[in-house]
Amino acid sequence: MEFLYVAVGVISGITSGLFGLGGGTIIVPIMLSLGFGVQQAIGISVLQMIFASVVGSIINYKKKLFSLKDGALLGLGGVIGASFSGMVLKILSETQLTFLFLCLMCFSFYKFLKKKPVEIGQNQEVISQLRYTSILIFTGVITGIFAVSLGVGGGLIMMPILMYFLGFNTKYISVLSLFFIVCSSISGAFSLWRNQVIDSDILSIGLIVGISAVVGVSIGIYLIQKITAHLHKSILSCIYVFAICVTIYHLF
């Protein structure tokens, strides 16, 4: 079973580096299929996010692939939003959480397909600094609340928002999302621990998956610099479909 956890960690790490997903879009459905409850799956996913996002963001920053200011604004919102994640998991049942995850993925996928990406920088000159800052923080708050509560990292949630309002392309959002996950996952992990969602068993599995994800995230960051924006969006579409299909299967 440990080998399976390692494989899941590496695969989720690759998706983290490539798409800024935090790995939860992969981990949560797989852990559900292995018999874990949705809250346990989310706890494992959030722990994995810490490892992958910290290492991945350090690599991305050294390569100058994102603006630290943009990442900090998203991260600030993420810390605020993620602090409510434990409360959300206490209030909602497993079925309600799974259904919420399904609705969120369907809505995000619809918005993702509907909006054509615009190259980063094209809209910034016509957007006031206050609005620009507010959109980034607000996106962080909303993503932090739902992404950590659902264990999905945030890339799939913030993708349509930042594409639509700020004109960011998918590759830049993926890099920003990985930095965002550093802030939101640490805050979320403390929240889940306080609310007893993460226990010693989940912690040990999360550490195995998280350490394995460090290898995967390095591979993902290498690949994101090699593929085209069109291919990047096409693969993201497949990930949306995968997450939606597995969640529907688990729900019904």
Side-chain angles (χ1 to χ4, degrees), residues 141-197:
V141 171
I142 296 299
T143 307
I145 292 173
F146 289 102
V148 176
S149 298
L150 299 170
V152 295
L156 295 183
I157 298 174
M158 68 172 63
M159 193 73 66
I161 300 175
L162 295 181
M163 284 172 63
Y164 181 81
F165 287 104
L166 297 181
F168 290 175
N169 64 32
T170 59
K171 293 176 74 171
Y172 186 68
I173 297 172
S174 297
V175 174
L176 272 183
S177 175
L178 194 59
F179 181 81
F180 161 87
I181 294 168
V182 174
C183 306
S184 63
S185 61
I186 293 174
S187 176
F190 277 114
S191 180
L192 297 182
W193 181 270
R194 276 198 318 268
N195 287 274
Q196 300 179 333
V197 174

Side-chain angles (χ1 to χ4, degrees), residues 60-80:
N60 283 332
Y61 181 70
K62 287 183 177 180
K63 293 179 178 292
K64 300 180 180 180
L65 297 180
F66 71 99
S67 163
L68 188 59
K69 178 182 177 183
D70 289 350
L73 291 172
L74 273 173
L76 173 61
V79 170
I80 296 171

